Amino acid sequence: LDFHTGRVEKLAEKIKIIKPTMPVIVLAPSPDHRRVKNLKEDNKKNIDYLFYWQGNPSLFLAMVKLIEDSLNLEHDTSEADVQVIILIEDSVRFISSYLPKMYTCLIHQARNSILEALNEWGKTLRMRGRPKIVLARTGEEGLYYYNKYRKNVLGIISDVNFPYKGNKTGSGLELAREIRKDNSEVPILIQSSDITQKDEALKVASEFLYKSSPTLLSELEEHFIKFYCFGPFNFIDPKTGKIIETVETMKE
């Protein structure tokens, strides 16, 4: 449908009337489009997710997987003890960049793990058992997901500023401090467009990412490998911190 008319909103409203639980995603042509603000603010009840098209086809994979994860999250965490990664971000532009990279990392890791599966059932089980991603766009949402899936949280990726308790500035740091009181070990990644926030962020977070960094997405991938135990398994000397040996498979 033509994004420049009101047809998107009307279609979303009609879909929700017919089937209220049907997820509706809108793909916008740019983050600065004049109608984006209206879609974000006035149609939240009818539009579940808004993404920006930035020329990366992996965005479609992320859109589908995000919906799949939201539908399977309750069952997979309670019945199969699947782990959860919480992304707290209210910028649609960065959500549209982060999720494709995050899902690419998860799927790549899952595909590597199924190489050791003994049969098709084992391969399917490992693929479906990958960590799920849940998207929170406010601090209240992020804290809700953390409390609900506390035992399954693999890591948290949070912006510095997003709506939380009626405030927005520094809310990511406030939320990180609250989570740290409950769990001192869960990996927390703070990211911001303000480099001056780095020192304060590192006091409560495992790592800090500068949003304007030219290698932002590569650094995000490195965080996954380092803190979520992706990639080869390293045996580390507890006294020196040096890697003694690296193995690629369970047999090794």
Side-chain angles (χ1 to χ4, degrees), residues 86-90 134-139 142-143 156-159 162 175 179 191:
I86 303 174
L87 172 63
I88 310 172
E89 175 64 73
D90 67 333
V134 58
L135 173 63
R137 284 161 288 195
T138 67
L143 191 57
I156 298 166
I157 299 173
S158 173
D159 190 16
F162 47 75
L175 182 60
I179 293 174
Q191 28 90 27

Side-chain angles (χ1 to χ4, degrees), residues 46-63:
N46 296 321
I47 296 173
D48 296 275
Y49 298 105
L50 175 63
F51 290 94
Y52 294 144
W53 174 245
Q54 302 177 81
N56 181 5
S58 296
L59 178 61
F60 294 105
L61 170 70
M63 290 160 62

